[in-house]
Amino acid sequence: MTTRNKKVLLKVIILGDSGVGKTSLMNQYVNKKFSASYKATIGADFLTKEVLIDDRLVTMQLWDTAGQERFQSLGVAFYRGADCCVLVYDVNNSKSFDTLDSWRDEFLVQASPMDPESFPFVVIGNKIDMGEEKRVVCVSVIMLLKGVIADRLKISAKRASTFCQSKGGIPYFETSAKEALNVEDAFEVIARQALAQEEAGDFSNDFPDTTIDVNRDYPDQGCSC
Amino acid sequence: MTAQPTPRGPPSPTASFYDLSDDEEGEYNTIRHSSSGKGVKLLYTKSKVYVHPTPSAKDNIPGFIALVQQKAAISNDARPPSSSSAKPTTSSSLLLAWMPESSLGDAYDTYVKVDLSDSASPPRQSYLVPPPPTTTAHGHAVGAYAFAVPVSEVYSLLIRPPSIGWYFGSVVINTRAGDSFPALFFHDSECQSTIMQRKKLAKESFDPFGDGGGMFWGGDEVLRWLKRYVAVERSADPSTFLIAPSDEDKVSFGSKSPAMKKREQEEASSSSAQQKRDGGMDGLTKTLKEARWNFLEKLSQVTTFTRRTAEAVAESKNIPPQVRRLLKNPEVQTLQDEFDSARIYLARWAMGIAEQSERERTQRIWTAKDVLEMEDSEVGEFEILDVESSAAAAEKRKPVTMKEWKGFFDSKGTLQVTPDEVKERIFHGGLDLNDGVRKEAWLFILGVYNWDSDSEERQAYMNSRRDEYIRLKGAWWERMIEGHSTPEENEYWKDQKNRIDRHIPIFEGEDIPHPDPDSPFAETGTNVHLEQMKDMLLTYNEYNKDLGYVQGMSDLLAPIYAVMQDDAVAFWCFERNFLRDQSGMRKQLMTLDHLVQLVDPKLYLHLEKADSNNFFFFFRMLLVWYKREFEWLDVLRLWEALWTDYLSSNYHLFVAVAILEKHRDVIMQHLQHFDEVLKYINELSNTMDLPSTLVRAESLFRRFQRTVEAVDKKHSFPSPSVRQRKPEASSTSNVGASSGTSSGRTPANGTKPSTGAEKERVISPELRGLLSRKVEKLNKEEIQAHGGGVGP
């Protein structure tokens, strides 16, 4: 049974430390806007965007989350049913990179996807507009997907690619939400990853319409926390 | 006699109004009774018009709205006709009445007959019914919402047609004495006559949308009846209709006001043609109805509501300017940008407009009120109707001024009244926003000052606090100068100040260049107040080292600093504010869960079905006390009410339920999943009306309190092994007696969730805690242990 005509909703969760630019990336991608005065996200929110992937119209639901670890354990209800998880750090802040691992683990624990090994992640290093590297950055998607990182980039780029490879070849992008660098490209890959994940989930299900419901009715572990 | 054994029994003649004793009738502010015992002429009536005494649909009381004519009025009118009334003879012999179905007794059949007769023409046959008790004031009599007011005493009608957010259209009657009656809700889908009239209208008008039936509603009829007998004029406020207005009224509120003229010009092109068909419906109302139709029509063609559609609608010449303006305003734009699905979009849109018109109405009425006060007119105060309904309430809601505040203290600055009295005033009225009273009063309600101190003691205490602040600030300052500060200190804190309210005047300026050229905020300058904010946050870090920066801190500090404009004072206020707010987010969400289960089990079950009973969608509101949800000035007003702990130290949870209740119908009808609920609630930000929210929160609190009392009473009786009717009835009547309110309807038994109804219901400790006024504050050690109180 083909699922071509079904309306697909792809759920994408964006995680990372406070202030790395999660909200900015999302707004740049969806609304083509950047503001220096986004308030710190409290709780969670999402934006939706329709995208065409190889003639298929899909709706991406991008979940923006609070970057403070302190608040994470409360709001994990929306992790469930995710099709892709984006890990964001600030290329100028090494601490925000160091925490990526724990964000990833936290996600896997809370979302508990069917197959954690193959669950798609994408890593984004944001704020490449800052500092002296400003003008050097423009790495093609293909190079990134192959894990080839131009060594002119900041040190963290190398570390990031190492990290990504160690996690099973996670796609990696360096972006500037402020100057709209690489943002489209990153999200296109995110969308493809998410769609692939969604379709993989559909294999085990002959009734496409119930796919979303299955996800929604995922056992409530938190139990009215 | 007062204890009715079968409150839900069928309407019987013995329970009717006409058997009330003279004493009981005397409780009404009676003007005149029909002298002949034969009754009055029922001209028009409409069935299924409800009073909603509580937010729970279960408590709704069905009845009839009616226009009746008194026979004796024309000859024997001893009372001088009201000077402002245009047609005193006619209008004083007419009564506008609402009668509960249960009180009609034998007359019920007559009411039904008149309801179903063709109301398009004046009645040919006379139908006599028993005279209703005539009143001019809405006395809060026991359970009796029935009233009949002479049309000559009706000052205005507030007409609110149905919309998607407001499922039922409503009418509120305001009297010349300044009183107003409870809103009457027209349940059009249950009302045979309205259904018939709709069908008829659809046939006659060839309106392609007529089948949708949105155009005509029960409230239109009431205006039509009245127009047969008296002048009905739309006021400057589009949803208010003046009844037989005097010349002064017209000047104050009527179509001659400058605001109105402008409005009329704006509307003239689009709305005049449809005016007639619409029974004189005011512009905004009609506009909304039509716009809704247009949207629905477009929606029937496309399943997903695209932005293009919205734009097309916005550009269409058929759309009146008001709606076009609404579509172009930034908030609506945001909605368009982020729409999720058509039905949520529509629901939100309708609610947004409802809020907007509510707000506009409030503003306009306040202006009118100001005018009245200036002219010292005898017309009486103009009420904000859906907000509260008596002159006493308006008095209660007056903000506390510096003058009133000073009056609470003697010359030594010792409080001369009880703290509770002061708290009550601030809780209901708030503090004046201009005269600086907040700077003093906040220190008390936040607990920086003791209520029993005198000015000298307070002065000394503040001096010591200033010293302490300077000491704390000096500590990190020194480290920074000497270069000992940790990278985190610099990295993390430096830009948090930019993530606050730059739109507020004191934080707006950019007269100081950004100290760090590498910062993403380098292009936006800073100012002295922002730098102060940064210093205070860093100082708080020094004061409470284990906590570090917590998101929401700047939200909780900014309003306090903006009011105090003194960093040391603001710091210690903030310290109080912050400690209480962080206490246990998890516990708060759980308490909210219990509370909603108790006060609105139906809604709770719906949220449960929508996988939303974790109440996470209230996280932001609870964490920063609605800072992001209300306009700046409203936040100040809300916070000072919350700080008083006048009813409960967790009153913000009742505010949450009040918000939930307001949007209950939309949530239950349109929102099926967690993401939809979250999105909808998030987008309420900056669209909500505070005064009505506060009123709703208070009545929810009172209801909660009564429910707990009722449950406690029931438990203190030895309960029989098999549940019988009698003990239940007695406990219910006890509730009414103890709380001194009307409620034989107290939902002690009724609110029981349908599932597990047979289990014994207990009030959880969390819920019981809501009745406490004691603030639970976390000490620093606890914060350290529980991660700012958000842990388990």
Side-chain angles (χ1 to χ4, degrees):
Chain A
M1 175 169 190
T2 176
T3 57
R4 291 276 146 181
N5 299 322
K6 180 188 104 183
K7 194 167 185 294
V8 182
L9 180 74
L10 302 177
K11 191 168 173 180
V12 175
I13 314 289
I14 305 177
L15 300 176
D17 278 2
S18 179
V20 297
K22 298 179 292 298
T23 307
S24 296
L25 276 168
M26 214 176 75
N27 270 295
Q28 180 57 261
Y29 177 58
V30 176
N31 298 323
K32 312 277 176 245
K33 281 181 210 152
F34 176 81
S35 159
S37 59
Y38 286 125
K39 290 182 184 175
T41 307
I42 295 178
D45 201 356
F46 63 84
L47 293 181
T48 53
K49 184 174 168 102
E50 308 225 322
V51 276
L52 208 56
I53 305 175
D54 304 335
D55 300 332
R56 289 194 65 183
L57 190 64
V58 300
T59 305
M60 283 223 274
Q61 193 182 58
L62 302 165
W63 284 78
D64 186 18
T65 60
Q68 251 204 341
E69 227 176 320
R70 197 185 296 281
F71 299 123
Q72 279 300 315
S73 63
L74 276 174
V76 294
F78 52 83
Y79 283 17
R80 281 180 254 135
D83 298 303
C84 181
C85 176
V86 183
L87 302 171
V88 185
Y89 73 100
D90 173 355
V91 295
N92 311 289
N93 176 351
S94 59
K95 190 174 157 282
S96 73
F97 176 76
D98 297 336
T99 53
L100 286 189
D101 221 4
S102 58
W103 282 113
R104 179 178 174 275
D105 293 346
E106 170 78 4
F107 174 83
L108 288 175
V109 168
Q110 299 294 349
S112 46
M114 301 260 273
D115 182 6
E117 290 303 309
S118 70
F119 187 88
F121 287 89
V122 172
V123 169
I124 291 181
N126 190 34
K127 304 197 189 177
I128 54 170
D129 51 278
M130 285 167 65
E132 59 271 38
E133 323 302 328
K134 208 166 180 171
R135 271 153 238 94
V136 245
V137 187
C138 192
V139 184
S140 80
V141 183
I142 294 130
M143 283 169 75
L144 281 170
L145 282 172
K146 285 176 182 164
V148 181
I149 306 297
D151 58 5
R152 290 182 300 170
L153 291 179
K154 291 198 159 185
I155 31 145
S156 67
K158 202 159 196 171
R159 289 173 61 200
S161 78
T162 315
F163 172 85
C164 292
Q165 279 171 344
S166 76
K167 302 292 173 196
I170 297 178
Y172 169 65
F173 294 89
E174 301 213 331
T175 61
S176 162
K178 187 180 177 187
E179 296 180 1
L181 287 175
N182 265 347
V183 176
E184 282 285 337
D185 295 341
F187 277 96
E188 191 190 325
V189 168
I190 291 164
R192 286 179 185 279
Q193 297 268 335
L195 183 61
Q197 170 73 6
E198 170 80 13
E199 284 179 335
D202 279 357
F203 273 120
S204 56
N205 196 328
D206 280 338
F207 305 96
D209 284 348
T210 61
T211 309
I212 289 173
D213 289 332
V214 165
N215 290 333
R216 291 197 191 279
D217 293 337
Y218 207 86
D220 189 355
Q221 301 153 319
C223 171
S224 69
C225 46
Chain B
M1 184 193 72
T2 43
Q4 299 202 348
T6 51
R8 283 187 198 166
S12 68
T14 52
S16 91
F17 260 111
Y18 318 115
D19 291 350
L20 290 172
S21 74
D22 286 340
D23 283 355
E24 282 167 307
E25 268 184 301
E27 285 175 11
Y28 294 99
N29 182 1
T30 304
I31 291 183
R32 186 194 309 112
H33 286 273
S34 173
S35 51
S36 72
K38 285 181 183 171
V40 295
K41 195 171 156 189
L42 183 61
L43 297 174
Y44 299 105
T45 187
K46 192 161 265 306
S47 63
K48 300 297 172 191
V49 176
Y50 285 65
V51 167
H52 297 177
T54 72
S56 165
K58 196 171 39 54
D59 296 334
N60 294 350
I61 309 167
F64 287 82
I65 187 169
L67 190 66
V68 299
Q69 187 166 30
Q70 290 176 322
K71 273 179 163 179
I74 299 167
S75 50
N76 287 336
D77 198 349
R79 209 177 130 271
S82 177
S83 61
S84 55
S85 174
K87 298 175 191 171
T89 341
T90 320
S91 62
S92 63
S93 69
L94 292 170
L95 300 177
L96 193 55
W98 181 82
M99 308 287 288
E101 279 175 10
S102 61
S103 74
L104 293 176
D106 293 338
Y108 181 80
D109 292 341
T110 315
Y111 272 81
V112 172
K113 207 179 281 175
V114 174
D115 179 29
L116 293 178
S117 65
D118 183 9
S119 64
S121 51
R124 269 170 243 148
Q125 198 185 333
S126 298
Y127 290 96
L128 292 183
V129 290
T134 315
T135 59
T136 51
H138 164 49
H140 297 273
V142 183
Y145 288 87
F147 62 83
V149 58
V151 171
S152 59
E153 296 299 325
V154 175
Y155 181 64
S156 67
L157 298 181
L158 181 72
I159 307 276
R160 186 196 286 164
S163 67
I164 290 186
W166 292 344
Y167 192 70
F168 303 116
S170 66
V171 169
V172 175
I173 299 167
N174 307 311
T175 68
R176 293 188 179 277
D179 209 338
S180 44
F181 290 91
L184 302 174
F185 292 89
F186 290 73
H187 291 214
D188 287 339
S189 59
E190 300 165 38
C191 175
Q192 278 306 317
S193 64
T194 301
I195 294 167
M196 277 164 46
Q197 283 152 354
R198 270 184 189 165
K199 280 186 188 157
K200 187 161 167 262
L201 215 66
K203 263 189 223 157
E204 284 170 357
S205 64
F206 301 105
D207 189 330
F209 304 114
D211 293 335
M215 194 61 143
F216 175 83
W217 68 291
D220 291 352
E221 275 293 283
V222 176
L223 283 178
R224 245 191 268 261
W225 304 340
L226 286 170
K227 279 179 182 169
R228 273 187 216 293
Y229 300 97
V230 292
V232 177
E233 261 199 53
R234 186 177 56 173
S235 77
D237 168 9
S239 46
T240 302
F241 288 78
L242 302 173
I243 305 302
S246 68
D247 290 344
E248 304 98 84
D249 293 345
K250 284 180 194 168
V251 171
S252 301
F253 307 108
S255 52
K256 296 293 188 291
S257 79
M260 192 59 214
K261 266 186 193 160
K262 199 174 163 214
R263 181 180 288 272
E264 273 182 340
Q265 280 163 6
E266 274 175 21
E267 288 168 4
S269 56
S270 56
S271 59
S272 59
Q274 290 135 8
Q275 198 80 27
K276 281 172 208 144
R277 187 186 61 180
D278 218 11
M281 187 58 61
D282 67 273
L284 182 59
T285 303
K286 192 163 53 55
T287 296
L288 293 183
K289 286 180 182 175
E290 284 168 2
R292 186 174 138 214
W293 279 11
N294 278 311
F295 275 99
L296 288 171
E297 189 226 357
K298 295 271 197 266
L299 279 168
S300 65
Q301 294 161 6
V302 286
T303 45
T304 307
F305 191 77
T306 65
R307 192 196 309 197
R308 226 171 305 127
T309 316
E311 276 165 6
V313 172
E315 296 310 319
S316 159
K317 280 182 190 145
N318 297 325
I319 299 292
Q322 275 174 312
V323 168
R324 234 176 288 157
R325 202 179 63 218
L326 278 170
L327 283 172
K328 282 179 179 158
N329 94 15
E331 268 173 35
V332 178
Q333 286 278 319
T334 314
L335 296 188
Q336 279 172 242
D337 289 346
E338 300 177 4
F339 71 90
D340 190 30
S341 68
R343 68 201 155 92
I344 300 175
Y345 177 88
L346 262 184
R348 196 181 295 138
W349 182 79
M351 196 52 119
I353 286 176
E355 289 279 0
Q356 175 141 353
S357 70
E358 190 169 299
R359 204 171 284 225
E360 280 177 359
R361 182 172 64 246
T362 311
Q363 284 166 356
R364 207 156 289 125
I365 290 173
W366 277 115
T367 314
K369 190 173 170 180
D370 296 341
V371 173
L372 275 182
E373 277 169 359
M374 258 169 25
E375 294 178 356
D376 199 20
S377 150
E378 287 174 11
V379 185
E381 281 195 326
F382 214 79
E383 286 284 347
I384 306 170
L385 299 172
D386 55 334
V387 178
E388 250 164 348
S389 57
S390 74
E395 188 62 27
K396 191 171 80 174
R397 297 273 172 196
K398 265 190 193 154
V400 176
T401 59
M402 184 60 107
K403 192 175 164 218
E404 184 179 354
W405 174 260
K406 293 258 188 237
F408 296 144
F409 296 87
D410 67 9
S411 57
K412 283 187 165 173
T414 312
L415 193 64
Q416 295 299 292
V417 293
T418 61
D420 244 18
E421 287 168 81
V422 184
K423 287 177 180 178
E424 188 279 329
R425 280 293 292 124
I426 297 174
F427 177 79
H428 284 120
L431 293 156
D432 190 284
L433 66 106
N434 291 320
D435 68 5
V437 65
R438 277 186 171 139
K439 282 189 195 193
E440 283 197 30
W442 280 16
L443 286 160
F444 285 86
I445 53 180
L446 274 164
V448 176
Y449 286 160
N450 279 329
W451 287 100
D452 54 11
S453 59
D454 61 34
S455 359
E456 215 166 281
E457 287 163 348
R458 289 194 292 270
Q459 184 88 48
Y461 181 72
M462 187 46 80
N463 285 341
S464 79
R465 295 280 83 185
R466 276 184 199 285
D467 292 347
E468 175 67 3
Y469 177 72
I470 289 164
R471 189 189 67 76
L472 288 167
K473 189 175 168 181
W476 63 262
W477 183 260
E478 228 161 84
R479 274 205 313 279
M480 195 181 71
I481 298 294
E482 290 166 13
H484 294 320
S485 53
T486 61
E488 283 81 31
E489 252 173 15
N490 289 332
E491 279 299 322
Y492 207 73
W493 295 78
K494 65 183 179 192
D495 286 326
Q496 290 302 333
K497 65 170 190 289
N498 287 294
R499 305 185 73 175
I500 58 163
D501 309 86
R502 287 305 290 261
H503 63 289
I504 300 306
I506 76 161
F507 300 126
E508 213 167 33
E510 297 181 12
D511 47 0
I512 303 175
H514 199 283
D516 175 9
D518 281 344
S519 161
F521 305 103
E523 287 157 28
T524 45
T526 172
N527 66 45
V528 64
H529 298 297
L530 281 179
E531 294 302 312
Q532 292 270 37
M533 284 283 294
K534 181 186 76 179
D535 289 358
M536 283 182 281
L537 290 172
L538 281 167
T539 306
Y540 190 79
N541 188 41
E542 188 69 29
Y543 171 75
N544 193 351
K545 279 206 166 99
D546 302 309
L547 185 59
Y549 183 81
V550 178
Q551 272 184 5
M553 266 186 177
S554 46
D555 283 286
L556 292 172
L557 173 60
I560 293 177
Y561 175 73
V563 164
M564 295 299 175
Q565 303 219 3
D566 174 318
D567 56 347
V569 177
F571 180 84
W572 294 110
C573 286
F574 166 72
E575 189 258 341
R576 292 283 163 162
N577 194 30
F578 188 69
L579 275 186
R580 54 182 287 157
D581 297 339
Q582 290 288 305
S583 58
M585 281 307 294
R586 192 183 293 274
K587 186 182 165 196
Q588 287 188 35
L589 292 174
M590 191 173 73
T591 310
L592 184 58
D593 173 288
H594 293 184
L595 188 57
V596 175
Q597 288 198 50
L598 190 79
V599 300
D600 196 343
K602 274 189 191 155
L603 176 64
Y604 184 84
L605 290 177
H606 178 82
L607 289 173
E608 200 172 34
K609 230 170 64 193
D611 202 13
S612 302
N613 56 334
N614 50 33
F615 288 91
F616 180 73
F617 51 92
F618 265 108
F619 184 88
R620 183 172 75 195
M621 299 200 203
L622 298 186
L623 185 76
V624 291
W625 274 21
Y626 310 94
K627 166 70 168 36
R628 307 259 179 111
E629 324 302 324
F630 288 104
E631 311 273 359
W632 180 263
L633 289 177
D634 282 346
V635 169
L636 308 183
R637 167 71 188 88
L638 172 63
W639 282 11
E640 64 204 9
L642 296 176
W643 286 331
T644 61
D645 304 317
Y646 177 64
L647 292 176
S648 163
S649 58
N650 280 294
Y651 196 69
H652 62 302
L653 295 179
F654 292 91
V655 175
V657 181
I659 291 169
L660 212 46
E661 283 296 316
K662 163 101 189 189
H663 299 270
R664 171 184 204 274
D665 292 347
V666 178
I667 294 170
M668 291 188 65
Q669 284 166 30
H670 300 282
L671 310 180
Q672 314 292 343
H673 299 290
F674 172 70
D675 51 358
E676 294 173 350
V677 175
L678 179 95
K679 192 75 180 161
Y680 183 82
I681 298 287
N682 274 352
E683 303 225 322
L684 293 179
S685 183
N686 284 318
T687 67
M688 293 187 288
D689 176 68
L690 181 66
S692 60
T693 305
L694 287 176
V695 172
R696 214 162 32 244
E698 185 167 354
S699 73
L700 280 162
F701 176 83
R702 304 280 181 203
R703 215 173 81 173
F704 166 74
Q705 197 175 30
R706 283 202 299 272
T707 309
V708 174
E709 279 168 11
V711 171
D712 286 353
K713 283 232 167 68
K714 205 154 93 184
H715 282 227
S716 62
F717 286 116
S719 118
S721 56
V722 180
R723 243 179 217 176
Q724 287 165 353
R725 186 140 190 87
K726 218 178 162 189
E728 272 189 14
S730 73
S731 78
T732 323
S733 63
N734 273 344
V735 176
S738 69
S739 58
T741 56
S742 62
S743 222
R745 279 180 306 284
T746 298
N749 303 313
T751 50
K752 202 177 286 181
S754 52
T755 56
E758 294 315 308
K759 279 188 206 158
E760 195 185 12
R761 227 170 41 146
V762 289
I763 302 291
S764 70
E766 286 81 11
L767 281 186
R768 209 168 279 286
L770 291 178
L771 292 174
S772 160
R773 300 168 52 180
K774 194 165 162 277
V775 184
E776 285 175 48
K777 288 190 180 121
L778 289 190
N779 60 32
K780 285 198 258 176
E781 290 71 35
E782 277 174 283
I783 288 180
Q784 188 184 351
H786 300 293
V790 293

